Amino acid sequence: MAKKEAKEEEKAAASLAEPRTNPSVEDTGMVRNSLTLSPPKPSWFTPGRLLVIFCFINLLNYVDRGTIASNGVNGSPKNCSANGTCTPGTGIQGDFDLNNFQDGVLSSAFMVGLLVASPIFASLARSVNPFRLIGVGLTVWTLAVVGCGFSFSFWMIAICRMLVGVGEASFISLAAPFIDDNAPVAKKTAWLGVFYMCLPSGYAIGYVYGGWVGHYNWRYAFWGEAILMFPFAVLGFVMKPLQLKGFAPAESKKAFTDIEIAFPEAQDRGERDDKNLNKDSRSRFKATSNNVNQFVRFFKDMKVLLRDKVFVVNVLGYIAYNFVIGAYSYWGPKAGKNIYNMNNADMIFGGITVVCGVLGTLAGGFVLDFIDSTICNAFKLLSTATFLGAAFCFSAFCLKSMYAFLALFAVGELLVFATQGPVNFICLHCVKPSIRPLSMAISTVSIHIFGDVPSSPLVGVLQDRVNNWRETALILTAILFPAAAIWFIGIFLHSVDKFSEDNEDKVSRIERSKTTPLLEDEKAETTQACAEP
């Protein structure tokens, strides 16, 4: 019996020692298991903590936008009466002697940086850990905000504002997919609503903060923002990185490459000769191939996005919406001060925006979850809330009483801000997980380049010409009605929730189980289409 066992052991050892040019499927699976990485240990923070961290960062981003729009920081230009008496200007407008058009350009300069950098960060998310990209972006943001405080000319502050936009781009295109990955399935829109609640809240706090600090020195406001953001920039580098759904870490790609080398039958026959290349040549070839593949993949994903009618209609409505909201956020305090002689326009607009913005944004998310989070229902909520909000805001600017204006305008803002959760829910769920960062980036680029980038300077030009803030506000508010009409069209489009569709990337398919978000991956059911094709 012992001799028999010894012979079997010798036979097994000999078989292992022999070179195997055509391993079996079972052997392939064993080696793959040995090559692939062990599942990463969960990060120290929970999904709730991740949401809180991202909300603070998003809040500071929009505090900055509200700060530069506040009367305390933005200030007023020099004013000369007919008899030649001039009163000095205040804030940025006064220090750099800016007219309304130049003042509006500062808002657009920020958006230019945001637009250029958003697709770049979204594309880099395929090869660089997205969490680290956010850290890089927030570092750029912090340094650029410090530069705003040290600016000594219009062009210097314009360039710094552009760099602030570059820094925010990394966060804006990647944060929402992270939240969507880790939110409970039944509360995805509500969590997005909480995140986007920081938009109106940040603007409102920025109005109040800028109005208060700006009375001492407008430069202090920017330096204070940099101090608050610095810990979050450091956090992006020191915390254990997370992965997005549909993406695999670089280590996983290396493991897959090792598998291909170990089992050449898994490769195309034309690629087998690559083993004969020297190491340096193969490295150069691989680097060139990766760069080409990134460009090809980018244009392929762009083609998918632009052919998706649901995505296009959603973004078109969002552009018209953001044209109005962007101009409201920048010119609102100044218009209120001139139309209704508000002594504390920053405080009043800030208070209304923070209360109505928070309640409206949260309500939009919770309502969509309550009525069932489908793309069809999201379009219904978008069109209804925007139309009613436009009607209330338009009526408000027609009234002469400041208190009546504030009452109607508050209701209008409550309805208008209810769109934030649903519109971003559509952007995230009408595409496959692998292109969600690009979807968010292109959405962000589009709503800014066609929305609030031109709206702030154009409203400044319109006001310079008509010299009537009430008339300017009414013309601007009327653009919300086309936004509601565009989103209404989306109700009748055939749409499918693609959140659970597999990524086409072979590496991601192999390593999907090792790159799960903080919560266990729960397969969501595909939602029903709004209309049958």
Side-chain angles (χ1 to χ4, degrees):
M1 189 70 179
K3 291 182 179 180
K4 185 177 181 181
E5 291 177 354
K7 288 182 179 181
E8 289 179 353
E9 289 178 358
E10 290 176 0
K11 185 178 180 180
S15 64
L16 289 173
E18 292 177 0
R20 308 184 67 177
T21 57
N22 188 24
S24 64
V25 175
E26 291 80 7
D27 295 329
T28 302
M30 291 173 62
V31 177
R32 288 189 180 185
N33 289 334
S34 65
L35 286 173
T36 52
L37 302 174
S38 59
K41 296 179 181 179
S43 184
W44 69 270
F45 52 79
T46 62
R49 289 174 183 170
L50 177 70
L51 177 64
V52 170
I53 290 171
F54 279 1
C55 282
F56 270 114
I57 296 172
N58 205 28
L59 187 72
L60 287 174
N61 282 328
Y62 282 87
V63 164
D64 173 71
R65 298 195 196 186
T67 296
I68 197 171
S70 66
N71 285 312
V73 170
N74 188 263
S76 59
K78 180 174 66 175
N79 186 27
C80 295
S81 61
N83 59 10
T85 304
C86 294
T87 56
T90 61
I92 294 174
Q93 269 198 300
D95 281 7
F96 302 138
D97 194 22
L98 308 181
N99 57 31
N100 286 330
F101 173 75
Q102 290 173 314
D103 193 19
V105 167
L106 290 182
S107 175
S108 297
F110 165 84
M111 295 302 173
V112 169
L114 188 70
L115 304 182
V116 172
S118 291
I120 295 174
F121 279 113
S123 298
L124 287 174
R126 287 185 175 272
S127 55
V128 181
N129 189 279
F131 211 71
R132 295 296 182 247
L133 290 176
I134 291 175
V136 172
L138 295 183
T139 301
V140 173
W141 190 97
T142 303
L143 295 175
V145 168
V146 172
C148 290
F150 284 108
S151 297
F152 52 81
S153 69
F154 165 72
W155 288 109
M156 182 176 178
I157 194 171
I159 292 172
C160 287
R161 294 306 299 170
M162 192 180 302
L163 291 175
V164 171
V166 171
E168 185 175 326
S170 67
F171 179 76
I172 246 14
S173 57
L174 299 173
F178 268 124
I179 293 173
D180 196 50
D181 277 356
N182 295 290
V185 174
K187 298 179 180 179
K188 285 186 178 292
T189 318
W191 277 45
L192 287 173
V194 171
F195 177 71
Y196 285 104
M197 172 192 73
C198 298
L199 276 67
S201 302
Y203 264 120
I205 295 172
Y207 292 153
V208 177
Y209 169 73
W212 176 61
V213 178
H215 286 303
Y216 299 97
N217 190 319
W218 62 267
R219 299 178 188 272
Y220 295 162
F222 292 114
W223 296 336
E225 294 171 9
I227 292 172
L228 293 174
M229 183 64 83
F230 179 72
F232 294 104
V234 174
L235 201 63
F237 292 103
V238 301
M239 288 183 61
K240 187 172 183 177
L242 300 176
Q243 289 294 331
L244 286 172
K245 179 181 174 68
F247 292 86
E251 292 83 356
S252 298
K253 296 180 181 180
K254 181 179 182 301
F256 190 86
T257 303
D258 292 339
I259 294 170
E260 289 181 332
I261 293 173
F263 303 100
E265 77 279 5
Q267 307 176 33
D268 294 334
R269 291 183 178 180
E271 295 178 353
R272 293 182 180 180
D273 293 337
D274 184 60
K275 293 190 297 181
N276 298 323
L277 296 174
N278 61 60
K279 185 176 181 180
D280 293 338
S281 298
R282 188 158 47 187
S283 298
R284 288 195 297 270
F285 174 78
K286 186 181 292 185
T288 304
S289 178
N290 287 340
N291 291 334
V292 172
N293 288 338
Q294 282 188 347
F295 279 108
V296 172
R297 185 180 292 165
F298 173 78
F299 287 109
K300 180 181 177 182
D301 291 344
M302 282 294 299
K303 186 177 180 180
V304 171
L305 280 178
L306 296 179
R307 284 186 171 183
D308 192 320
K309 294 180 181 179
V310 173
F311 176 81
V312 171
V313 169
N314 185 52
V315 171
L316 286 176
Y318 205 6
I319 288 171
Y321 169 89
N322 210 56
F323 187 95
V324 180
I325 298 301
Y328 267 0
S329 62
Y330 196 76
W331 295 111
K334 191 163 291 187
K337 181 178 180 180
N338 285 272
I339 296 174
Y340 296 103
N341 297 317
M342 296 180 185
N343 293 326
N344 297 311
D346 289 339
M347 301 292 181
I348 294 174
F349 265 82
I352 292 176
T353 303
V354 72
V355 173
C356 298
V358 168
L359 294 178
T361 306
L362 290 177
F366 282 108
V367 168
L368 184 57
D369 283 333
F370 179 77
I371 63 176
D372 193 9
S373 299
T374 66
I375 294 175
C376 180
N377 286 339
F379 274 124
K380 291 177 182 178
L381 185 56
L382 287 173
S383 57
T384 302
T386 304
F387 179 82
L388 293 176
F392 275 97
C393 289
F394 191 89
S395 301
F397 280 111
C398 293
L399 301 175
K400 294 183 178 180
S401 169
M402 182 183 73
Y403 297 105
F405 161 79
L406 292 176
L408 289 183
F409 189 73
V411 177
E413 278 206 331
L414 190 71
L415 291 164
V416 166
F417 279 116
T419 61
Q420 291 300 316
V423 72
N424 287 284
F425 174 87
I426 295 175
C427 282
L428 290 168
H429 286 253
C430 71
V431 298
K432 293 184 294 185
S434 59
I435 59 175
R436 285 184 307 162
L438 184 63
S439 171
M440 294 302 297
I442 298 303
S443 172
T444 301
V445 167
S446 301
I447 66 175
H448 291 314
I449 200 170
F450 300 111
D452 52 7
V453 166
S455 71
S456 295
L458 288 176
V459 169
V461 170
L462 178 62
Q463 174 56 27
D464 285 338
R465 174 164 295 191
V466 302
N467 197 28
N468 186 319
W469 277 108
R470 188 187 301 275
E471 184 177 341
T472 299
L474 287 171
I475 293 172
L476 176 65
T477 304
I479 300 175
L480 284 174
F481 291 107
I486 293 171
W487 277 328
F488 182 74
I489 294 172
I491 299 174
F492 304 98
L493 296 177
H494 175 73
S495 55
V496 177
D497 192 324
K498 301 176 183 178
F499 177 78
S500 296
E501 287 195 13
D502 288 336
N503 184 22
E504 294 178 355
D505 191 343
K506 58 184 178 180
V507 174
S508 294
R509 288 201 305 266
I510 290 176
E511 298 298 328
R512 183 68 51 80
S513 62
K514 295 174 176 55
T515 57
T516 54
L518 298 180
L519 288 180
E520 289 296 324
D521 191 20
E522 299 180 43
K523 187 173 182 180
E525 294 183 357
T526 302
T527 58
Q528 295 180 349
C530 287
E532 293 299 326

